[in-house]
Amino acid sequence: MAKILLSLHGFHSSPESLKARQLATYINKHHPEITFLCPQLPCLPGKMWALIESIFEKYKDHDIAVVGSSLGGYLATKISEVYKTKSILVNPAVTPYRLLQTYAGAQVHPYTNETYFINEDFMVQLKKLDVEVLSTFNRCWVLLQEGDEVLDYQQAMIKYQGCKITCEKDGDHSFVGFERYIADIIKFLF
């Protein structure tokens, strides 16, 4: 059974994010037996989930694990519940359907130049992906930094209590020093 590591970037980010590149470099150097996937997520939540489902269908006979950052962490939480995968959640969004209300209206994705709208339909799609009650405590490791300027780390501390949590002082939303954890992340996931 082949090993697949699916990396999910955050809102208005891309597969070229620093964490994704650090993971890809580490895996290529130390774990060539792991296939690294980091797709460009579509702008709309329903399409994000459709892409995720297609990846799990394509690799259904493989051992898949997930690393998700911010909105990607929100998606990874849903994946962990639905597909019973192990997941790393890096400064995960807990209630993005509330946070993204401040972005309501027309948007242009900074990496794909796609125009889309954050509206009520967008929020309904996003809310459908929410996991209100976790059952996958032993499958999730949550990495938080208290200095996250975008998300309130305390929301994640509450939502993911019972999971393995590493919470550092300072830092920021990007999770400063992520590369320090990559070897342990691979061990945890596989």
Side-chain angles (χ1 to χ4, degrees):
M1 180 185 305
K3 296 176 181 175
I4 310 287
L5 179 56
L6 175 61
S7 178
L8 301 174
H9 62 75
F11 177 69
H12 279 183
S13 189
S14 81
E16 293 303 310
S17 73
L18 179 60
K19 288 185 290 297
R21 287 185 321 209
Q22 289 171 333
L23 281 168
T25 299
Y26 184 88
I27 288 168
N28 287 337
K29 184 174 181 180
H30 300 285
H31 291 281
E33 76 282 7
I34 298 174
T35 299
F36 181 73
L37 301 176
C38 187
Q40 177 65 57
L41 292 172
C43 294
L44 300 178
K47 289 185 178 181
M48 291 176 193
W49 189 250
L51 173 63
I52 290 164
E53 287 178 322
S54 72
I55 290 168
F56 274 83
E57 178 59 30
K58 180 176 181 178
Y59 296 102
K60 63 185 172 193
D61 297 325
H62 302 294
D63 183 11
I64 305 176
V66 184
V67 174
S69 179
S70 191
L71 183 60
Y74 179 76
L75 296 168
T77 303
K78 179 72 170 181
I79 291 168
S80 199
E81 287 290 322
V82 172
Y83 293 102
K84 310 303 181 203
T85 62
K86 284 195 167 182
S87 297
I88 304 294
L89 313 175
V90 184
N91 285 332
V94 174
T95 55
Y97 43 86
R98 291 193 187 118
L99 179 70
L100 293 179
Q101 287 175 351
T102 60
Y103 289 83
Q107 299 290 317
V108 177
H109 193 286
Y111 292 93
T112 65
N113 292 318
E114 181 182 347
T115 300
Y116 69 102
F117 290 88
I118 293 184
N119 53 23
E120 190 174 330
D121 181 56
F122 181 97
M123 294 305 177
V124 167
Q125 291 178 41
L126 201 52
K127 185 84 167 115
K128 281 184 182 176
L129 301 175
D130 192 26
V131 175
E132 290 186 29
V133 181
L134 290 171
S135 68
T136 57
F137 300 111
N138 61 330
R139 288 196 277 280
C140 294
W141 178 11
V142 184
L143 297 172
L144 301 171
Q145 288 187 332
E146 292 179 15
D148 186 334
E149 72 284 6
V150 177
L151 301 172
D152 179 356
Y153 80 94
Q154 293 175 350
Q155 289 182 347
M157 291 288 287
I158 294 166
K159 177 160 186 130
Y160 296 103
Q161 60 186 329
C163 297
K164 178 178 180 176
I165 296 177
T166 300
C167 184
E168 297 181 343
K169 298 271 185 208
D170 303 320
D172 64 22
H173 188 59
S174 71
F175 199 92
V176 175
F178 174 75
E179 69 281 357
R180 296 171 291 143
Y181 288 96
I182 295 176
D184 290 332
I185 283 170
I186 300 303
K187 285 178 195 164
F188 177 84
L189 294 175
F190 298 105

